[in-house]
mmCIF file of all heavy atoms in Angstrom:
data_model
loop_
_atom_site.group_PDB
_atom_site.id
_atom_site.type_symbol
_atom_site.label_atom_id
_atom_site.label_comp_id
_atom_site.label_asym_id
_atom_site.label_seq_id
_atom_site.Cartn_x
_atom_site.Cartn_y
_atom_site.Cartn_z
ATOM 1 N N ALA B 38 21.294 -19.399 -13.857
ATOM 2 C CA ALA B 38 20.658 -18.442 -12.836
ATOM 3 C C ALA B 38 21.008 -16.973 -13.058
ATOM 4 O O ALA B 38 22.021 -16.704 -13.707
ATOM 5 C CB ALA B 38 20.984 -18.813 -11.442
ATOM 6 N N ALA B 39 20.187 -16.122 -12.535
ATOM 7 C CA ALA B 39 20.455 -14.714 -12.524
ATOM 8 C C ALA B 39 19.862 -14.195 -11.226
ATOM 9 O O ALA B 39 18.960 -14.771 -10.656
ATOM 10 C CB ALA B 39 19.770 -13.977 -13.787
ATOM 11 N N ALA B 40 20.304 -13.045 -10.754
ATOM 12 C CA ALA B 40 19.878 -12.546 -9.556
ATOM 13 C C ALA B 40 20.054 -10.951 -9.473
ATOM 14 O O ALA B 40 20.892 -10.426 -10.153
ATOM 15 C CB ALA B 40 20.673 -13.123 -8.336
ATOM 16 N N TYR B 42 20.080 -7.732 -6.669
ATOM 17 C CA TYR B 42 20.111 -7.408 -5.260
ATOM 18 C C TYR B 42 19.827 -5.983 -4.975
ATOM 19 O O TYR B 42 19.886 -5.114 -5.870
ATOM 20 C CB TYR B 42 21.569 -7.791 -4.714
ATOM 21 C CG TYR B 42 21.909 -9.243 -4.950
ATOM 22 C CD1 TYR B 42 22.617 -9.611 -6.035
ATOM 23 C CD2 TYR B 42 21.511 -10.185 -4.115
ATOM 24 C CE1 TYR B 42 22.904 -10.980 -6.361
ATOM 25 C CE2 TYR B 42 21.802 -11.539 -4.317
ATOM 26 C CZ TYR B 42 22.420 -11.955 -5.402
ATOM 27 O OH TYR B 42 22.719 -13.234 -5.672
ATOM 28 N N TRP B 54 27.723 -12.035 0.054
ATOM 29 C CA TRP B 54 28.055 -13.354 -0.370
ATOM 30 C C TRP B 54 27.364 -13.814 -1.640
ATOM 31 O O TRP B 54 28.006 -14.325 -2.576
ATOM 32 C CB TRP B 54 27.636 -14.339 0.795
ATOM 33 C CG TRP B 54 27.627 -15.856 0.314
ATOM 34 C CD1 TRP B 54 26.568 -16.523 -0.281
ATOM 35 C CD2 TRP B 54 28.727 -16.826 0.433
ATOM 36 N NE1 TRP B 54 27.043 -17.776 -0.577
ATOM 37 C CE2 TRP B 54 28.252 -18.029 -0.039
ATOM 38 C CE3 TRP B 54 30.004 -16.728 1.059
ATOM 39 C CZ2 TRP B 54 29.111 -19.154 -0.104
ATOM 40 C CZ3 TRP B 54 30.825 -17.750 0.965
ATOM 41 C CH2 TRP B 54 30.383 -19.017 0.395
ATOM 42 N N SER B 55 26.042 -13.612 -1.748
ATOM 43 C CA SER B 55 25.259 -14.152 -2.795
ATOM 44 C C SER B 55 25.573 -13.493 -4.110
ATOM 45 O O SER B 55 25.527 -14.101 -5.138
ATOM 46 C CB SER B 55 23.743 -13.977 -2.508
ATOM 47 O OG SER B 55 23.482 -14.766 -1.385
ATOM 48 N N GLU B 56 25.933 -12.227 -4.001
ATOM 49 C CA GLU B 56 26.232 -11.498 -5.329
ATOM 50 C C GLU B 56 27.460 -12.177 -6.008
ATOM 51 O O GLU B 56 27.451 -12.318 -7.111
ATOM 52 C CB GLU B 56 26.579 -10.020 -5.003
ATOM 53 C CG GLU B 56 26.630 -9.193 -6.279
ATOM 54 C CD GLU B 56 26.448 -7.690 -6.039
ATOM 55 O OE1 GLU B 56 27.214 -7.180 -5.234
ATOM 56 O OE2 GLU B 56 25.570 -7.112 -6.549
ATOM 57 N N GLN B 57 28.470 -12.558 -5.094
ATOM 58 C CA GLN B 57 29.608 -13.286 -5.679
ATOM 59 C C GLN B 57 29.163 -14.698 -6.153
ATOM 60 O O GLN B 57 29.605 -15.165 -7.179
ATOM 61 C CB GLN B 57 30.740 -13.332 -4.629
ATOM 62 C CG GLN B 57 31.276 -12.066 -4.322
ATOM 63 C CD GLN B 57 32.534 -12.156 -3.527
ATOM 64 O OE1 GLN B 57 33.247 -13.218 -3.419
ATOM 65 N NE2 GLN B 57 32.983 -11.077 -2.867
ATOM 66 N N ALA B 58 28.295 -15.262 -5.285
ATOM 67 C CA ALA B 58 27.956 -16.738 -5.691
ATOM 68 C C ALA B 58 27.190 -16.786 -6.965
ATOM 69 O O ALA B 58 27.402 -17.765 -7.758
ATOM 70 C CB ALA B 58 27.140 -17.310 -4.573
ATOM 71 N N SER B 59 26.399 -15.812 -7.349
ATOM 72 C CA SER B 59 25.596 -15.812 -8.478
ATOM 73 C C SER B 59 26.160 -15.249 -9.730
ATOM 74 O O SER B 59 25.675 -15.262 -10.777
ATOM 75 C CB SER B 59 24.220 -15.185 -8.218
ATOM 76 O OG SER B 59 24.340 -13.887 -7.894
ATOM 77 N N ALA B 60 27.317 -14.558 -9.453
ATOM 78 C CA ALA B 60 28.005 -13.767 -10.608
ATOM 79 C C ALA B 60 28.306 -14.531 -11.810
ATOM 80 O O ALA B 60 28.362 -14.115 -12.918
ATOM 81 C CB ALA B 60 29.267 -13.013 -10.060
ATOM 82 N N ASP B 61 28.594 -15.898 -11.603
ATOM 83 C CA ASP B 61 28.997 -16.748 -12.702
ATOM 84 C C ASP B 61 27.773 -17.353 -13.439
ATOM 85 O O ASP B 61 27.899 -18.140 -14.409
ATOM 86 C CB ASP B 61 29.921 -17.892 -12.230
ATOM 87 C CG ASP B 61 29.197 -18.737 -11.185
ATOM 88 O OD1 ASP B 61 28.020 -18.568 -10.833
ATOM 89 O OD2 ASP B 61 29.844 -19.771 -10.830
ATOM 90 N N GLY B 62 26.511 -16.899 -12.992
ATOM 91 C CA GLY B 62 25.399 -17.291 -13.761
ATOM 92 C C GLY B 62 24.981 -18.723 -13.437
ATOM 93 O O GLY B 62 24.142 -19.388 -14.184
ATOM 94 N N ARG B 63 25.441 -19.261 -12.285
ATOM 95 C CA ARG B 63 25.222 -20.647 -11.994
ATOM 96 C C ARG B 63 24.800 -20.801 -10.504
ATOM 97 O O ARG B 63 25.614 -20.360 -9.603
ATOM 98 C CB ARG B 63 26.422 -21.478 -12.205
ATOM 99 C CG ARG B 63 26.283 -22.956 -11.943
ATOM 100 C CD ARG B 63 27.638 -23.692 -12.072
ATOM 101 N NE ARG B 63 27.635 -24.929 -11.308
ATOM 102 C CZ ARG B 63 27.155 -26.104 -11.806
ATOM 103 N NH1 ARG B 63 26.721 -26.150 -13.058
ATOM 104 N NH2 ARG B 63 27.200 -27.152 -11.088
ATOM 105 N N VAL B 64 23.645 -21.244 -10.213
ATOM 106 C CA VAL B 64 23.156 -21.423 -8.777
ATOM 107 C C VAL B 64 22.456 -22.746 -8.737
ATOM 108 O O VAL B 64 21.595 -23.061 -9.418
ATOM 109 C CB VAL B 64 22.213 -20.226 -8.386
ATOM 110 C CG1 VAL B 64 21.607 -20.629 -6.966
ATOM 111 C CG2 VAL B 64 22.838 -18.930 -8.427
ATOM 112 N N GLY B 102 30.074 -22.174 -3.383
ATOM 113 C CA GLY B 102 29.959 -21.037 -4.326
ATOM 114 C C GLY B 102 28.662 -21.051 -5.198
ATOM 115 O O GLY B 102 28.409 -20.171 -5.940
ATOM 116 N N VAL B 105 23.127 -19.613 -2.933
ATOM 117 C CA VAL B 105 22.798 -18.214 -2.670
ATOM 118 C C VAL B 105 22.108 -18.335 -1.260
ATOM 119 O O VAL B 105 21.347 -19.236 -0.913
ATOM 120 C CB VAL B 105 21.759 -17.711 -3.653
ATOM 121 C CG1 VAL B 105 20.987 -16.547 -3.123
ATOM 122 C CG2 VAL B 105 22.538 -17.357 -4.867
ATOM 123 N N ALA B 196 24.101 -17.396 -18.958
ATOM 124 C CA ALA B 196 23.044 -16.693 -18.111
ATOM 125 C C ALA B 196 22.753 -15.338 -18.612
ATOM 126 O O ALA B 196 21.864 -14.668 -18.065
ATOM 127 C CB ALA B 196 23.482 -16.699 -16.723
ATOM 128 N N ASP B 200 19.575 -13.248 -17.230
ATOM 129 C CA ASP B 200 19.793 -12.013 -16.488
ATOM 130 C C ASP B 200 18.997 -10.837 -17.083
ATOM 131 O O ASP B 200 18.394 -10.082 -16.350
ATOM 132 C CB ASP B 200 21.298 -11.605 -16.518
ATOM 133 C CG ASP B 200 21.721 -10.539 -15.654
ATOM 134 O OD1 ASP B 200 21.498 -10.663 -14.305
ATOM 135 O OD2 ASP B 200 22.076 -9.472 -16.082
#
Side-chain angles (χ1 to χ4, degrees):
Chain B
Y42 300 96
W54 166 274
S55 298
E56 193 163 55
Q57 291 192 19
S59 63
D61 62 358
R63 181 184 158 87
V64 173
V105 160
D200 187 67

